[in-house]
Amino acid sequence: MDHYCVFGNPIAHSKSPDIHAAFAAQTGQQLTYEKRLAPLDGFAAAVHAFIAEGGKGANVTVPFKLEAYRLANALTVRAQAAGAVNTLLFDAHGITGDNTDGAGLVADITANAGVPIVGKRVLLLGAGGAARGAVLPILEHRPAALVIANRTVAAAQQLVQQFAALGGAGIVSACGFAEITGSFDIVINATSASLQADLPPVPPTVFQPGTLALDMMYGKEPTVFMRFALEHGATARDGLGMLVEQAAEAFHGWRGVRPDTAPVLANLR
């Protein structure tokens, strides 16, 4: 029996064990998956302890994704691009770091919401770790434009420079929240505003009828951002589908089997 876990602090609220248990049951994979609370100053030690117990892989959530990036001795292309790691694989080569967040986001938009990204205008709010992980997977779907808006414009500009070489030249641009102009087909909230029940300061003109507004956060009730988008004619979606899809991507990386996410997402809803 192979062992997996998710590291975080806090971690009690995590739905990951339920998701991976459902994937394992569906695909006939024999494994266990648990939550592990890592001390804020003891993430690396917690990972090495889990490896010593025979752990095969782990997910990493807040606040350890940057530390996981530094801990890995090999990185996938998308983890390198994201500058953060949410999935670890342990084998004879050591610790491989991957980032499945962006791929999960894109799968949720294109497959679950049924909205293609190709040729669309995409607005990404925020320039932190969550936004960073999303840029390369979005660019791989060839949008007409990807605008990264952030409170600190320099941070958004840094992302633009980083991804210009990775197929983003002429497609990716940066601005402050106040400088956003025009409407978008897809608006993604990658800021932490929803955690504080707050709204990123975006003009309502970014939404048009048919805009998909996706908040990476999720809760029992729609977020402030989702309600704001709905009031201005958009379709709103929370981050639960992204959570399930990033988990499926990690599961596939560990087990070589891709689970069917639809029934698992429906069950969580």
Side-chain angles (χ1 to χ4, degrees):
M1 183 80 78
D2 291 339
H3 303 293
Y4 300 88
C5 76
V6 55
F7 291 105
N9 188 333
I11 198 63
H13 66 286
S14 176
K15 291 178 165 38
S16 293
D18 302 335
I19 294 170
H20 284 280
F23 289 164
Q26 183 198 98
T27 57
Q29 296 284 311
Q30 299 297 311
L31 58 90
T32 65
Y33 188 108
E34 60 179 308
K35 302 173 196 180
R36 290 219 168 182
L37 180 71
L40 291 176
D41 58 353
F43 171 71
V47 171
H48 286 297
F50 184 62
I51 294 171
E53 292 166 30
K56 294 285 185 194
N59 286 125
V60 181
T61 187
V62 175
F64 300 121
K65 292 183 185 185
L66 295 177
E67 220 174 319
Y69 177 85
R70 293 193 292 270
L71 183 68
N73 54 328
L75 293 164
T76 62
V77 171
R78 59 193 181 186
Q80 283 176 356
V85 159
N86 79 327
T87 303
L88 297 169
L89 174 70
F90 313 130
D91 59 18
H93 303 293
I95 302 174
T96 301
D98 191 11
N99 189 310
T100 66
D101 283 332
L105 170 74
V106 164
D108 186 53
I109 292 170
T110 57
N112 299 334
V115 175
I117 295 172
V118 178
K120 298 292 179 69
R121 279 174 53 77
V122 182
L123 175 61
L124 182 61
L125 305 173
R132 186 184 289 271
V135 178
L136 186 62
I138 290 171
L139 285 178
E140 285 171 344
H141 279 252
R142 304 193 309 283
L146 172 59
V147 177
I148 304 172
N150 195 48
R151 207 176 293 275
T152 312
V153 184
Q157 286 167 337
Q158 191 186 346
L159 280 193
V160 172
Q161 287 166 346
Q162 183 188 336
F163 288 98
L166 292 169
I171 295 172
V172 194
S173 61
C175 66
F177 288 129
E179 287 80 59
I180 301 170
T181 55
S183 59
F184 294 83
D185 303 297
I186 302 168
V187 180
I188 300 160
N189 182 18
T191 72
S192 57
S194 294
L195 291 176
Q196 288 87 40
D198 209 353
L199 184 69
V202 292
T205 48
V206 300
F207 306 111
Q208 58 190 7
T211 296
L212 174 68
L214 188 144
D215 198 323
M216 288 191 181
M217 304 297 163
Y218 61 90
K220 288 185 173 63
E221 299 296 324
T223 65
V224 178
F225 170 79
M226 289 168 66
R227 293 201 298 270
F228 180 68
L230 286 166
E231 283 164 15
H232 294 96
T235 303
R237 190 170 180 84
D238 68 9
L240 197 60
M242 173 183 173
L243 178 75
V244 173
E245 294 296 340
Q246 67 78 24
E249 193 74 16
F251 190 92
H252 180 250
W254 293 328
R255 311 300 297 179
V257 181
R258 191 170 290 283
D260 179 9
T261 53
V264 179
L265 179 56
N267 204 22
L268 277 180
R269 288 264 182 236

